[in-house]
Amino acid sequence: GTKITYHSPLERCSQLTNDAVIMIEQRVCIYSFDACARKCSISASGSGVFDGDALLQCVQKLSDDLTRSEECSKEIEKGCYMVSQKCCEGLAGYVKDRSDAARLRVVAECANALNTTIVDVVREVSYLTNGQSESLESNLSSVISVLEREMFDVFLESVKRNVSACARLGFIENPSDQQNKKTDDSAPFPPYLAASFLTIVRCRAQVERALRDLRRAEGTTYQFLALQTASDGVVENICLELKSKLNHVRPQADVFSIHLQFLISTLKKYLSDDILSLASDTRRMLLSASTGGRGAGKGMGNGPEGLTAVENLERLGRVYVMCLGE
């Protein structure tokens, strides 16, 4: 490099001393963040905790100790990133061989870190380095968001599997076997609808307990995303099964069309456009199949009797409707 010339031995001594102080303080940063990373990794892998407070305290201590913090900006930024990365690696290890509850715990830890601790850390680092770490927030958010998305996506896949196992029509009775059975006013709530709603309600309770009203970066709550996945899965599975078993359900096509109408009206705010379209198509198919008095309810799907049947379903299934309300 270019040879530096000094006007006096004192100036040279002063520069060498300054360089030595900078090197020592850079080493202090490296060792401090390394110790913090080990501590946070243990907390994450053992307890499922993203210890953002430990990172913040580490930065605050450096703020008190350093005299050349601006010259240590690269070490500080790399150190914060390393600690966050070790936390995420520890959390990924924590969920291995654990249930969905552990994954939701990790999602909650990541969401809390993104919304609170990381913001505080970035502000403290910005103050410490005089605004030299402009990319720190995006780098930290990126590494944490990757784990958050991965864990929540795995949970949603589990929701889909549970829905697929529970949202089944089950045994379809022949109308001739029901002639001496209870009337609509005293009939029980359809078991397959009860099983489907229980799956959605259980999903809601699980997410609510772990994530409360936390939101993703784009502003949508985790609860809404989970309910959307569960509701879409329930309606899609039932519609596809109704289509594949049309010949079996034809004698009760109008009854199933009323069930589907009840499903749509109850879950409408959670259903995606594609699933709403599938449900509407399936209901039209059922109404068409029951036209001409072939169905058990003699084509009552769109008439006053159909409305009464829907009201009966709402009465019988009000506990599920209440559980899915605000």
Side-chain angles (χ1 to χ4, degrees), residues 160 163-165 167 232-242:
K160 290 178 183 177
V163 165
S164 179
D232 275 356
V234 162
V235 175
E236 181 180 23
N237 284 356
I238 289 175
C239 286
L240 294 178
E241 191 171 1
L242 285 169

Side-chain angles (χ1 to χ4, degrees), residues 175-196:
S176 60
D177 298 331
Q178 301 179 345
Q179 289 178 354
N180 296 322
K181 290 194 175 183
K182 297 177 181 179
T183 64
D184 284 340
D185 286 342
S186 57
F189 191 70
Y192 80 96
L193 289 183
S196 299

Side-chain angles (χ1 to χ4, degrees), residues 24 31 34 37 53 67 78 112 198 217 256 297 317:
I24 291 170
Y31 295 145
D34 186 60
D53 288 338
T67 61
K78 288 179 181 177
N112 278 321
L198 278 173
F256 282 110

Side-chain angles (χ1 to χ4, degrees), residues 22 38 60 64 76 80-81 137 147 163 199 204 277 300 317:
I22 291 173
R38 288 198 300 271
Q60 289 172 337
D64 294 335
I76 293 171
C80 289
Y81 182 83
E137 184 171 9
L147 179 65
V163 165
T199 303
R204 173 175 183 150
S277 177
M300 68 181 180

Side-chain angles (χ1 to χ4, degrees), residues 218-240:
E218 62 272 18
T220 309
T221 63
Y222 290 97
Q223 186 181 98
F224 181 86
L225 293 169
L227 286 174
Q228 184 178 58
T229 299
S231 299
D232 275 356
V234 162
V235 175
E236 181 180 23
N237 284 356
I238 289 175
C239 286
L240 294 178

Side-chain angles (χ1 to χ4, degrees), residues 48-207:
V49 174
F50 190 109
D51 196 355
D53 288 338
L55 175 57
L56 181 60
Q57 289 166 11
C58 180
V59 174
Q60 289 172 337
K61 187 174 188 308
L62 289 173
S63 181
D64 294 335
D65 295 344
L66 299 181
T67 61
R68 308 289 194 279
S69 56
E70 291 183 25
E71 284 77 7
C72 300
S73 59
K74 288 185 179 178
E75 286 72 22
I76 293 171
E77 185 169 355
K78 288 179 181 177
C80 289
Y81 182 83
M82 178 185 68
V83 172
S84 296
Q85 196 170 38
K86 289 296 183 182
C87 281
C88 290
E89 289 173 0
L91 289 173
Y94 171 79
V95 301
K96 285 184 178 179
D97 302 321
R98 282 186 163 96
S99 65
D100 286 338
R103 294 186 183 87
L104 288 179
R105 178 189 177 92
V106 169
V107 173
E109 289 292 318
C110 290
N112 278 321
L114 288 169
N115 294 329
T116 56
T117 315
I118 294 305
V119 177
D120 295 335
V121 169
V122 170
R123 184 173 56 249
E124 191 72 26
V125 169
S126 179
Y127 167 76
L128 180 59
T129 63
N130 197 23
Q132 292 187 36
S133 303
E134 295 178 356
S135 62
L136 179 60
E137 184 171 9
S138 61
N139 290 339
L140 297 184
S141 296
S142 176
V143 70
I144 299 170
S145 295
V146 167
L147 179 65
E148 176 264 339
R149 283 195 299 270
E150 180 186 344
M151 291 296 105
F152 197 61
D153 286 347
V154 171
F155 170 72
L156 292 182
E157 287 299 322
S158 175
V159 170
K160 290 178 183 177
R161 288 194 299 272
N162 291 338
V163 165
S164 179
C166 296
R168 303 280 185 175
L169 295 180
F171 178 70
I172 302 172
E173 291 185 312
N174 192 296
S176 60
D177 298 331
Q178 301 179 345
Q179 289 178 354
N180 296 322
K181 290 194 175 183
K182 297 177 181 179
T183 64
D184 284 340
D185 286 342
S186 57
F189 191 70
Y192 80 96
L193 289 183
S196 299
F197 277 119
L198 278 173
T199 303
I200 300 173
V201 171
R202 188 160 53 241
C203 172
R204 173 175 183 150
Q206 195 173 18
V207 175

